[in-house]
Amino acid sequence: MQEIFNRRSIRKFTTDAVEQEKIDKLLRAAMQAPSAANQQPWEFIVIQDKENLKKLSEVSPYAKPVAGSAVTIALFGNEKEFKVPKGWEEDMGAASQNILLEAVHLGLGAVWLGVATSNEVTDHVRSFFQLPDHIKPFGLIAIGYPDGQKNEFTERYKEERVHYEKWS
């Protein structure tokens, strides 16, 4: 539970590289996510090259943290794996959350940058990675060792947003 309560969006990173062992753990965590009808539609591209990170940071006004990350994981849905076509984004959201929580567990910082929320950004990402038509861009997760900001607990619980049995 500590990772859940301490997770924060970290947008500034040190120049330290993230070890391959930790990248593997992040990807393993992603693929342990639940998915509709166990379709597991995920595909990932791992970006570590500084020039590629800089270029990728330009696909959206919100992708700037990618440039300073040690590694960014791009997440995609593979339409050929869809058993529940409307469930792929939920599956990818669960995979993304697993990456974010594992990052905290490993002493890393991360920020989830949406892609599927904008047709323009989706098109930029599709072009950047030269994706085939059956691969659907979902998001980017910039990862590195935090520079300044920490993963620390902040109370977010709001009792007034909890309802039992019916809306009241």
Side-chain angles (χ1 to χ4, degrees):
M1 295 297 288
Q2 199 65 35
E3 288 82 1
I4 291 171
F5 290 117
N6 287 349
R7 190 215 59 79
R8 294 289 164 270
S9 293
I10 305 296
R11 292 177 174 84
K12 189 175 178 191
F13 309 99
T14 69
T15 57
D16 297 334
V18 172
E19 300 85 348
Q20 186 61 48
E21 176 185 315
K22 290 185 177 185
I23 294 169
D24 292 343
K25 287 180 178 183
L26 293 166
L27 294 166
R28 287 178 178 277
M31 293 186 214
Q32 285 300 126
S35 71
N38 200 30
Q39 64 187 348
Q40 301 177 38
W42 34 72
E43 301 280 349
F44 306 92
I45 296 177
V46 178
I47 306 95
Q48 294 173 283
D49 178 82
K50 285 298 181 188
E51 188 57 35
N52 286 337
L53 289 168
K54 183 180 179 317
K55 289 177 186 172
L56 184 59
S57 75
E58 297 167 1
V59 299
S60 160
Y62 305 105
K64 300 304 178 215
V66 168
S69 71
V71 58
T72 290
I73 299 174
L75 297 89
F76 307 92
N78 183 339
E79 283 186 324
K80 291 182 178 180
E81 301 297 329
F82 291 3
K83 297 174 189 169
V84 182
K86 293 194 176 202
W88 80 276
E89 288 181 317
E90 293 173 15
D91 296 349
M92 298 307 300
S96 298
Q97 182 73 356
N98 280 8
I99 290 172
L100 296 170
L101 294 174
E102 182 66 6
V104 174
H105 180 74
L106 296 172
L108 301 168
V111 61
W112 177 356
L113 308 158
V115 170
T117 54
S118 163
N119 289 335
E120 182 180 352
V121 176
T122 298
D123 291 343
H124 287 267
V125 169
R126 178 173 294 289
S127 175
F128 183 86
F129 289 111
Q130 302 173 8
L131 300 174
D133 290 341
H134 67 281
I135 301 297
K136 298 174 69 90
F138 177 75
L140 304 170
I141 301 180
I143 303 161
Y145 286 94
D147 187 8
Q149 189 180 0
K150 296 180 182 175
N151 290 310
E152 292 180 339
F153 178 76
T154 301
E155 180 63 67
R156 292 182 175 182
Y157 183 79
K158 295 179 179 157
E159 186 176 355
E160 67 274 11
R161 294 197 179 178
V162 179
H163 311 272
Y164 290 90
E165 310 302 334
K166 62 180 181 175
W167 190 268
S168 55

